């Protein structure tokens, strides 16, 4: 539900009176203070559980974050942080059609995961995002505040226009996903029709600080981790799987372990997390012909790790390389 006229500042306040500033701080403190649950039969080698935070706390955060995704202006000012959250439209039916056609494998599909990972990194590059997370048919990006040049605050790309940024993001991922999907069809010698085209939607969030914006990524990582476990149970197609789907995440993990289905594929279990870092690059100076080193921006994956654990350990953003001398 969109905020009312009285809820003018989306970064502050919800119907419950809680602010994103308070909840983002609370989540980060809890991640650092809490420890993962102990589940009999599920070792850390089989599944990396995050620090335990009650579902009710994540739900409170989610409620406030959804309000932040209803900006009160048509433009986002340059000093604010932006999130883009994209979802596949009707992907449950689409992936079933693609599996039936033999394009995606039954169960966990490595090809589908790679399509999403590729699109996520491409969108991250297009919008100069600092970090991005993807799992299943969704992805979340965090875009930093625009630069301050000679004391003057710059604007976000496209003037920070909400509709422009959302439509461009959704169009970019939709086009790129279908382009790569068409190539996958061709590689497997299968004809593609318009019923097998994918579509993505996008919503934009506006935040005062990097911590607040990152809390949306953490919320999605927490939710996707739960969904990944359920997905593994559902796609196992083993006897009793339907009954297990009614149980909690702990019981599902125990069932997966008992059936030798752990560890899961890293992307299925934890999603994929990408960050923008500065790395030393070696190249030839075209004017002098000499080999020189410089510090350049690069997108890297932090592989096979629970994002919530990274946050708990203060490692959400890896260190940059030092400036070469």
């Amino acid at each position: 539900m969109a905020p009312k006229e009285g809820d003018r500042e989306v970064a502050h306040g919800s119907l419950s009176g809680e602010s994103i500033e308070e909840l983002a701080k609370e989540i980060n403190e809890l991640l650092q203070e809490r420890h993962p649950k102990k589940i009999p039969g599920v070792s850390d080698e089989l599944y990396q559980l995050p620090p335990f935070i009650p579902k009710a706390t994540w739900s409170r955060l989610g409620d406030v974050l959804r309000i932040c995704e209803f900006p009160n202006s048509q433009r986002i000012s340059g000093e604010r942080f932006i999130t883009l959250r994209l979802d596949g439209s009707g992907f449950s039916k689409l992936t079933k059609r693609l599996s039936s056609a033999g394009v995606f494998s039954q169960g966990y599909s490595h090809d589908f995961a790679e399509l999403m990972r590729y699109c996520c990194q491409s969108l991250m590059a297009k919008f100069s995002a600092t970090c991005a997370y993807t799992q299943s048919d969704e992805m979340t990006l965090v875009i930093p505040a625009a630069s301050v040049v000679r004391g003057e605050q710059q604007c976000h790309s496209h003037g920070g226009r909400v509709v422009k940024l959302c439509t461009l993001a959704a169009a970019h991922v939709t086009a790129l996903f279908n382009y790569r999907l068409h190539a996958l069809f061709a590689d497997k010698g299968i004809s593609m029709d318009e019923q097998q085209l994918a579509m993505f939607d996008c919503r934009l969030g506006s935040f005062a600080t990097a911590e607040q914006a990152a809390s949306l990524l953490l919320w999605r990582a927490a939710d996707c981790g739960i969904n990944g476990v359920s997905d593994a149970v559902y796609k196992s197609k083993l006897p009793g799987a339907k009954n297990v789907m009614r149980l909690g995440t702990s019981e599902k993990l125990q069932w997966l372990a008992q059936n030798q289905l752990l560890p899961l594929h890293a992307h299925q279990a934890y999603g994929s997390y990408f960050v923008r870092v500065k790395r030393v690059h070696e190249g030839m100076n075209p004017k002098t012909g000499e080999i020189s080193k410089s510090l350049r921006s690069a997108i890297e994956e932090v592989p096979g790790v629970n994002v919530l654990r990274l946050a708990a350990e203060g490692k959400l953003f890896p260190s940059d390389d030092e400036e070469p001398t």
Side-chain angles (χ1 to χ4, degrees):
M1 183 173 65
K4 300 177 182 178
E5 283 298 309
D7 301 318
R8 296 305 300 168
E9 181 53 59
V10 297
H12 298 279
S14 65
L15 295 179
S16 65
E18 294 182 292
S19 72
I20 183 58
E21 180 180 11
E22 295 167 343
L23 282 170
K25 182 179 179 181
E26 180 182 348
I27 285 293
N28 277 291
E29 289 176 348
L30 288 173
L31 285 171
Q32 295 171 23
E33 295 169 359
R34 299 291 182 88
H35 299 284
K37 290 177 65 176
K38 299 292 184 181
I39 303 177
V42 182
S43 65
D44 203 53
E45 289 72 25
L46 292 178
Y47 189 87
Q48 296 178 14
L49 285 158
F52 176 72
I53 296 177
K55 181 180 178 180
T57 304
W58 287 114
S59 296
R60 285 164 49 217
L61 176 64
D63 290 342
V64 175
L65 286 168
R66 290 187 184 92
I67 294 176
C68 295
E69 291 180 321
F70 282 99
N72 57 14
S73 171
Q74 295 182 7
R75 294 176 182 264
I76 306 301
S77 56
E79 76 273 6
R80 296 186 69 81
F81 292 75
I82 290 174
T83 58
L84 297 175
R85 181 157 66 100
L86 288 81
D87 278 297
S89 178
F91 261 52
S92 179
K93 293 181 179 178
L94 176 64
T95 52
K96 286 181 180 178
R97 288 198 297 268
L98 294 173
S99 295
S100 298
V103 181
F104 290 165
S105 60
Q106 298 292 330
Y108 173 78
S109 171
H110 174 77
D111 288 327
F112 175 45
E114 286 305 305
L115 282 175
M116 291 298 299
R117 285 161 45 82
Y118 184 87
C119 290
C120 185
Q121 292 175 81
S122 177
L123 191 65
M124 189 177 174
K126 179 177 178 62
F127 285 97
S128 300
T130 53
C131 60
Y133 174 82
T134 181
Q135 201 264 359
S136 186
D137 66 340
E138 68 171 85
M139 62 183 72
T140 300
L141 282 73
V142 176
I143 301 172
S147 302
V148 176
V149 179
R150 292 186 291 275
E152 184 175 342
Q153 176 67 60
Q154 302 300 297
C155 297
H156 282 293
S157 64
H158 304 285
R161 286 177 289 165
V162 173
V163 174
K164 186 74 170 181
L165 293 173
C166 284
T167 53
L168 279 175
H172 180 86
V173 172
T174 295
L176 184 58
F177 186 96
N178 285 321
Y179 175 76
R180 304 281 292 194
L181 181 61
H182 183 269
L184 193 59
F185 268 86
D187 287 344
K188 298 188 177 185
I190 305 171
S191 178
M192 183 178 182
D193 62 49
E194 64 182 38
Q195 298 300 317
Q196 294 160 324
L197 290 171
M199 291 187 296
F200 288 83
D201 61 39
C202 177
R203 65 205 76 186
L204 180 149
S206 173
F207 301 88
T209 68
E211 181 183 59
Q212 292 171 22
S215 71
L216 187 140
L217 188 147
L218 297 178
W219 170 56
R220 296 317 310 143
D223 199 43
C224 287
I226 294 171
N227 294 340
V229 173
S230 294
D231 183 65
V233 173
Y234 176 76
K235 290 180 177 176
S236 71
K237 302 301 181 183
L238 291 178
K242 288 186 177 180
N243 292 329
V244 177
M245 286 296 293
R246 303 188 184 98
L247 304 178
T249 301
S250 296
E251 289 78 15
K252 288 174 183 173
L253 283 168
Q254 287 180 312
W255 184 85
L256 289 169
Q258 291 164 5
N259 285 279
Q260 285 76 54
L261 294 176
L262 294 181
L264 304 175
H265 297 275
H267 178 77
Q268 184 181 29
Y270 315 117
S272 296
Y273 176 61
F274 305 95
V275 292
R276 184 176 296 278
V277 293
K278 291 183 178 180
R279 295 290 179 243
V280 173
H281 174 81
E282 189 175 277
M284 179 180 292
N285 188 318
K287 294 183 178 180
T288 65
E290 296 179 346
I291 301 298
S292 61
K293 294 181 179 180
S294 61
L295 206 57
R296 294 189 181 182
S297 176
I299 294 174
E300 291 183 354
E301 180 183 3
V302 183
V305 179
N306 190 308
V307 176
L308 299 179
R309 282 199 176 187
L310 288 177
E313 297 167 4
K315 298 178 180 178
L316 208 54
F317 299 99
S319 300
D320 295 329
D321 287 348
E322 294 183 358
E323 186 78 43
T325 55

